[in-house]
Amino acid sequence: MAVKGRVWRFGDNVDTDAIIPARYLHTSDPSELARHCMEDADQRFASGVQHGDIIVGGRNFGCGSSREHAPMAIKAAGVSCVIAASFARIFFRNALNVGLPILESPEAARRLEDGDMVEVFLDEGLIRNTSRGEEYRAIPLPEFMQRIVDCGGIINYIREKIGMTP
Amino acid sequence: MGMTITEKILAAHAGRDHVEPGELITVKVDMVLGNDITAPVAIDQFRKTGASKVFDPNKIALVPDHFVPNKDIKSALQCARLREFAKEQGIPHYFEVGRMGIEHCLLPEQGLVRPGDVIIGADSHTCTYGALGAFATGVGSTDMAAAMTLGEIWLKVPESMKFVYFGRPRRWVYGKDLILYTIGHIGVDGATYKAMEFCGDSIENLSIDSRFTMANMAVEAGAKNGIMAADEVTLEYLRERAKGPYQVFESDPDANYGAVYEYDVSEIEPQVAFPHLPSNVKPISEVGELPIDQVVIGSCTNGRMEDLRAAAEVLRGRRVHPEVRLLVFPGTQQVYLQAMREGLLEIFVEADAAISTPTCGPCLGGHMGVLAEGERALATTNRNFVGRMGHPKSEVYLSNAAVAAASAVKGRIASPEEV
Ligand code: SF4
């Protein structure tokens, strides 16, 4: 599967309070969360983000709380993929579980600039920077996690496991 | 090759003799936890699995603590969903306002988490229970739903890092200072995906409350879990609490560690974490002149008796600075009651502090003490991210409870030695 969009560049240690501040956690309605996505990191994000755009972070993206509202908000904002040098552990699990594609690529995280246009081939872990004519590789997901993604998230995986039809 | 305590607990719950770091395994869980923010999402996901019953109602704990007593209509709805789900599924460990506490203070106090257990919670500070020699880690709501359905969860066995503390702590140094110092040393991603194992004679001499504080903040270094072996102090704490039998594990002498760090505790001063990362620490002697608007004493990190006693010791017979608001949040109803019996609440009120019923409240900028633009707070909580306690242009500094109390008196970040 390939996705395409414009890069929104953030730094290291983007935390879950920056992705979706706790003051909005009295709801889990995705469209409402999307309206405040990245609010404390970049005021322009929620109104400026276009469907398909890509978030690029540095090290330790998504650190902090276990709120699944963070990947939910990013996904509901229309972001097609998050690329970072590394992800915080709980965010990584949550993103897989809610079906937000994420790629770990220190190289892409270093090279991609705000506003670059990129094409991402999720299955192969290939990131093509069409603004600069560069290509980067992402670290592939372990097979077990790929299976969860292929099932469409952990819920479908469980449905199979307890004998419900997906 | 021997195994670490983390590896042993995971192996036992995977029905295996041995596990290696990096292996993906499925483990049985002894307790699954959710709160008023994360559990409503987990309940939605649980419904989607098609299951009608949770795997074991006795192994689920639901604690409304973040936005309670309900701060607005939406929070009230979230709590109502928790309450209804507990009723529908016959979950006994649901803790209503008036009987509750901050989840990570409450579960150990109720004896619901024990040495050797595997606990997963839809809250990142679930790692707190590692202080009792359990494997405990935070996950998201969908993982919580999966665990409520199946009674198990997939995990990657973490590599362990060993943190050895030796020597006698100075006056006014607590578990909070040791963990802040450590995070300052290794960074907020210094232990990402790893198990932080705390040991050494300083840990053996540490109170159970300080141990909870240390394990609580393992996630602030990115760790999957923080853990310390259960000893006499732990068993004493559990004696009249633990619900059911438990098994004590400890690391083998030839266990494998990805890294080993040693700290001479006698050299560690009380620490203060500056905005906007818990790793941004300075010893109290290097803080300088920093006037504050608010002080918060409480949270799952420092809302226990040791913290309230330390704060009261500093505040006894003194008054909070006229330009400072001091808020005190006992971690649980039991802590509240004990503090009342010991006369600590009287000391706080006489010092002009506001005392709250147990709640997460201001820790996450939820309610009960949200900061305005440009305000600065010193808190005994665990996170000082941008906007954590309110306005994105407010600031949060982190410290232990004695430093917090001294600062409330002085009106600026100050050492207890100065009051
Ligand atoms: S006190 Fe703060 S850190 Fe602890 S559970 Fe509540 S919101 Fe989270």
Side-chain angles (χ1 to χ4, degrees):
Chain A
M1 196 174 81
V3 297
K4 217 170 164 173
R6 193 163 61 100
V7 167
W8 292 79
R9 184 85 173 77
F10 296 88
D12 289 341
N13 302 314
V14 172
D15 61 75
T16 50
D17 282 287
I19 297 170
I20 181 74
R23 55 185 178 274
Y24 303 119
L25 296 185
H26 52 199
T27 177
S28 55
D29 171 14
S31 59
E32 201 174 326
L33 295 173
R35 274 202 291 281
H36 303 290
C37 185
M38 308 304 283
E39 188 169 286
D40 288 357
D42 184 346
Q43 287 273 341
R44 304 163 306 150
F45 182 84
S47 52
V49 66
Q50 304 274 321
H51 192 81
D53 280 0
I54 288 163
I55 287 180
V56 176
R59 280 166 53 180
N60 204 25
F61 187 92
C63 62
S65 90
S66 66
R67 64 189 71 150
E68 208 157 289
H69 311 68
M72 277 165 60
I74 292 176
K75 194 178 170 196
V79 170
S80 63
C81 167
V82 181
I83 301 168
S86 65
F87 290 92
R89 191 187 71 79
I90 304 177
F91 183 89
F92 186 90
R93 286 186 82 105
N94 287 347
L96 291 185
N97 285 341
V98 306
L100 171 69
I102 50 174
L103 289 177
E104 206 169 277
S105 171
E107 191 195 1
R110 206 169 43 242
R111 303 281 304 168
L112 287 170
E113 302 278 356
D114 216 28
D116 281 357
M117 289 302 296
V118 287
E119 227 177 325
V120 181
F121 300 88
L122 294 167
D123 300 336
E124 298 103 284
L126 179 72
I127 301 155
R128 184 174 291 151
N129 185 340
T130 51
S131 300
R132 278 162 226 276
E134 293 179 348
E135 280 186 3
Y136 325 107
R137 289 259 153 214
I139 300 162
L141 281 183
E143 206 188 307
F144 174 80
M145 293 180 199
Q146 193 59 54
R147 274 213 308 279
I148 293 178
V149 177
D150 292 346
C151 282
I154 191 103
I155 294 299
N156 287 339
Y157 177 82
I158 294 171
R159 287 176 68 89
E160 265 179 27
K161 202 159 167 161
I162 64 175
M164 314 288 296
T165 41
Chain B
M1 178 59 76
M3 286 193 288
T4 66
I5 178 170
T6 296
E7 289 154 12
K8 283 185 182 177
I9 296 172
L10 292 179
H13 285 74
R16 304 252 303 255
D17 294 330
H18 197 92
V19 294
E20 296 273 342
E23 269 188 281
L24 284 163
I25 56 170
T26 301
V27 295
K28 297 239 169 299
V29 295
D30 299 297
M31 186 53 73
V32 182
L33 162 73
N35 60 46
D36 52 320
I37 291 181
T38 58
V41 180
I43 294 166
D44 289 339
Q45 297 293 66
F46 172 78
R47 302 274 186 231
K48 285 190 208 149
T49 66
S52 57
K53 283 273 158 212
V54 297
F55 82 106
D56 182 347
N58 291 303
K59 293 186 175 170
I60 292 167
L62 297 175
V63 187
D65 58 357
H66 280 61
F67 295 151
V68 301
N70 303 333
K71 76 162 178 130
D72 54 22
I73 293 168
K74 285 179 181 168
S75 319
L77 284 172
Q78 295 201 129
C79 289
R81 297 202 52 209
L82 231 63
R83 195 175 298 126
E84 279 154 21
F85 186 72
K87 208 179 251 174
E88 167 199 312
Q89 296 287 328
I91 294 169
H93 306 307
Y94 165 79
F95 296 92
E96 193 53 89
V97 169
R99 282 166 222 120
M100 52 73 78
I102 300 169
E103 50 198 310
H104 310 307
C105 298
L106 186 69
L107 261 55
E109 186 187 275
Q110 296 288 324
L112 293 174
V113 289
R114 302 148 317 164
D117 282 356
V118 168
I119 304 127
I120 67 136
D123 190 277
S124 58
H125 294 103
T126 300
C127 55
T128 309
Y129 319 132
L132 298 175
F135 175 88
T137 192
V139 295
S141 297
T142 301
D143 275 322
M144 179 190 170
M148 284 201 297
T149 315
L150 301 174
E152 57 183 37
I153 186 168
W154 68 266
L155 293 170
K156 193 160 29 149
V157 178
E159 180 180 84
S160 292
M161 297 169 84
K162 188 170 177 169
F163 296 84
V164 187
Y165 301 82
F166 61 90
R168 260 176 69 98
R170 300 183 187 187
R171 178 103 173 100
W172 306 116
V173 167
Y174 299 87
K176 181 65 164 284
D177 306 294
L178 306 193
I179 192 66
L180 282 176
Y181 185 86
T182 306
I183 297 166
H185 181 225
I186 66 171
V188 286
D189 61 354
T192 300
Y193 298 98
K194 306 273 168 50
M196 291 176 87
E197 185 174 322
F198 306 107
C199 57
D201 59 81
S202 319
I203 300 298
E204 285 157 28
N205 292 321
L206 211 57
S207 70
I208 198 80
D209 287 358
S210 265
R211 295 182 191 192
F212 283 126
T213 307
M214 290 189 74
N216 175 272
M217 289 192 72
V219 67
E220 258 46 79
K224 174 175 260 172
N225 67 310
I227 195 164
M228 31 193 116
D231 61 9
E232 277 309 308
V233 176
T234 324
L235 301 188
E236 176 59 33
Y237 177 80
L238 290 163
R239 204 170 322 270
E240 285 178 0
R241 302 176 198 250
K243 307 250 190 315
Y246 54 85
Q247 194 183 351
V248 171
F249 293 88
E250 56 182 280
S251 296
D252 291 323
D254 61 342
N256 209 7
Y257 294 93
V260 179
Y261 295 104
E262 297 198 3
Y263 300 107
D264 181 351
V265 167
S266 66
E267 289 182 359
I268 298 176
E269 282 182 48
Q271 303 285 306
V272 177
F274 279 49
H276 291 285
L277 287 175
S279 57
N280 207 0
V281 296
K282 284 188 187 172
I284 187 78
S285 61
E286 289 172 23
V287 165
E289 182 74 21
L290 280 173
I292 45 177
D293 304 287
Q294 176 165 302
V295 171
V296 175
I297 297 176
S299 85
C300 61
T301 316
N302 290 107
R304 301 184 180 81
M305 283 314 297
E306 177 178 72
D307 310 304
L308 299 190
R309 288 185 189 128
E313 196 180 332
V314 174
L315 287 168
R316 187 190 303 272
R318 299 197 169 85
R319 302 289 285 271
V320 171
H321 188 277
E323 281 162 34
V324 174
R325 316 177 291 265
L326 171 58
L327 314 175
V328 181
F329 292 79
T332 64
Q333 287 287 97
Q334 257 187 40
V335 170
Y336 198 114
L337 189 60
Q338 181 64 23
M340 190 184 301
R341 289 186 174 140
E342 291 184 20
L344 310 185
L345 301 190
E346 199 173 324
I347 294 172
F348 296 145
V349 173
E350 279 178 356
D352 297 341
I355 303 169
S356 161
T357 191
T359 177
C360 292
C363 172
L364 77 164
H367 61 145
M368 307 286 290
V370 176
L371 298 175
E373 181 170 0
E375 287 193 324
R376 180 183 292 142
L378 178 64
T380 65
T381 55
N382 47 40
R383 290 197 172 128
N384 54 354
F385 300 149
V386 172
R388 175 71 179 177
M389 202 172 270
H391 196 279
K393 291 208 177 87
S394 60
E395 290 185 339
V396 180
Y397 292 67
L398 308 174
S399 76
N400 72 35
V403 169
S407 306
V409 171
K410 286 284 176 192
R412 59 174 169 81
I413 299 182
S415 162
E417 304 286 353
E418 296 178 59
V419 297

